[in-house]
Amino acid sequence: LKSSPSNNEEKEAQTQLTKSDELQRLHSQALSAYQQEDYEAAISLLDEILAVCVWDAELRELRAECYIKEGEPSKAISDLKAAAKLKNDNTEAFYKISRIYYQLGDHELSLSEVRECLKLDQDHKQCFSLYKQVKKLNKQIESAEEFIREGRYEDAINKYDSVMKTEPEVPIYATRAKERICHCLSKNQQATEAIKLCTEVLQLEPTNVNALKDRAEAYLLEDMYEE
């Protein structure tokens, strides 16, 4: 305005100023909603601000936190990926993305994202600790799957037992391990054990196709055709 006080520009400047005041007000409300744990309201307010301030990494990180609290991990990942691009050396965003993928049971993508964090800072304590855990788990699962391909079912069962010991806190890994052990037992003609373990998996995931198929194979071995 000071450099060029023509009517047109004054109008435009006043409009922008009004808009920026409004956005600051929305920002305060969003932070207040977040602190009061009203994440749904915070997301709604942040949506409005980010429609204008598209390149604000910190707002995206805040909205990602709200999405995590609301149980919407894929939306959180989307915001965190944007934040990782918008802010240089954003190790925190890569760490959070890796953690979310890990919790969802996607150990391969988790490993890929935590490596990005360590490329930026090889001494990052949280990322290094997560990297060690995911790498160990990833190696065990790959090794177990290799045994299955080779028909070494006993070895695969032992390896999946190790997977459950490596990650006892995130339930999805135990469920996946049991599903694969059931597959091995069925292939190994150990029908009774296979039926028991597949049933355990199906109580947690009634529509798990792999467990249904493997239990069916085990029932055939036992001549239980109706089942």
Side-chain angles (χ1 to χ4, degrees):
L1 265 177
K2 283 176 180 165
S3 66
S4 171
S6 71
N7 280 347
N8 251 357
E9 270 149 7
E10 184 171 358
K11 210 170 178 182
E12 173 65 16
Q14 289 298 347
T15 307
Q16 295 285 14
L17 201 55
T18 309
K19 194 185 273 185
S20 78
D21 287 344
E22 169 69 2
L23 288 171
Q24 280 182 316
R25 187 179 63 75
L26 290 172
H27 188 212
S28 298
Q29 285 179 345
L31 287 174
S32 170
Y34 177 76
Q35 277 149 10
Q36 287 164 27
E37 298 181 13
D38 186 352
Y39 303 116
E40 203 178 324
I43 289 167
S44 177
L45 291 158
L46 289 164
D47 286 347
E48 276 189 73
I49 307 167
L50 280 159
V52 182
C53 307
V54 185
W55 313 115
D56 193 312
E58 276 166 23
L59 289 176
R60 286 190 179 276
E61 284 173 13
L62 181 60
R63 189 169 66 176
E65 282 300 312
C66 294
Y67 281 138
I68 290 167
K69 302 283 188 191
E70 283 289 288
E72 297 198 67
S74 56
K75 288 183 179 178
I77 286 170
S78 173
D79 265 344
L80 287 166
K81 283 192 169 180
K85 286 195 182 99
L86 291 166
K87 201 157 84 182
N88 280 345
D89 299 347
N90 197 344
T91 51
E92 197 57 30
F94 284 118
Y95 172 71
K96 284 179 182 171
I97 296 167
S98 179
R99 285 246 10 125
I100 295 170
Y101 276 135
Y102 187 71
Q103 297 291 328
L104 290 173
D106 200 328
H107 52 94
E108 288 169 334
L109 279 175
S110 175
L111 189 60
S112 161
E113 294 295 332
V114 80
R115 278 181 174 141
E116 290 302 316
C117 172
L118 290 170
K119 276 183 200 169
L120 295 171
D121 178 7
Q122 62 189 32
D123 298 323
H124 194 289
K125 277 185 183 158
Q126 285 176 307
C127 283
F128 187 66
S129 168
L130 181 60
Y131 171 71
K132 281 198 299 185
Q133 174 71 3
V134 187
K135 192 181 176 196
K136 182 180 178 184
L137 192 75
N138 197 54
K139 199 171 178 188
Q140 286 175 335
I141 292 170
E142 279 180 354
S143 175
E145 287 302 311
E146 185 61 34
F147 286 143
I148 290 172
R149 283 192 290 276
E150 291 168 4
R152 293 166 60 187
Y153 300 116
E154 282 298 329
D155 291 332
I157 290 167
N158 291 335
K159 195 56 80 172
Y160 269 118
D161 279 334
S162 302
V163 166
M164 289 191 277
K165 290 190 184 92
T166 298
E167 185 41 86
E169 303 294 320
V170 184
I172 194 163
Y173 293 106
T175 307
R176 288 290 156 272
K178 285 175 184 175
E179 178 198 305
R180 297 306 279 154
I181 291 171
C182 164
H183 174 74
C184 295
L185 290 167
S186 180
K187 290 282 182 196
N188 220 22
Q189 316 275 300
Q190 292 167 268
T192 312
E193 296 94 321
I195 291 165
K196 183 169 173 271
L197 202 57
C198 274
T199 302
E200 208 177 301
V201 173
L202 287 161
Q203 279 164 352
L204 298 166
E205 296 179 348
T207 56
N208 185 315
V209 175
N210 293 328
L212 284 165
K213 286 196 297 186
D214 289 322
R215 189 169 68 174
E217 291 289 338
Y219 280 142
L220 283 174
L221 293 169
E222 294 287 282
D223 300 333
M224 296 165 75
Y225 301 120
E226 283 299 321
E227 286 84 346

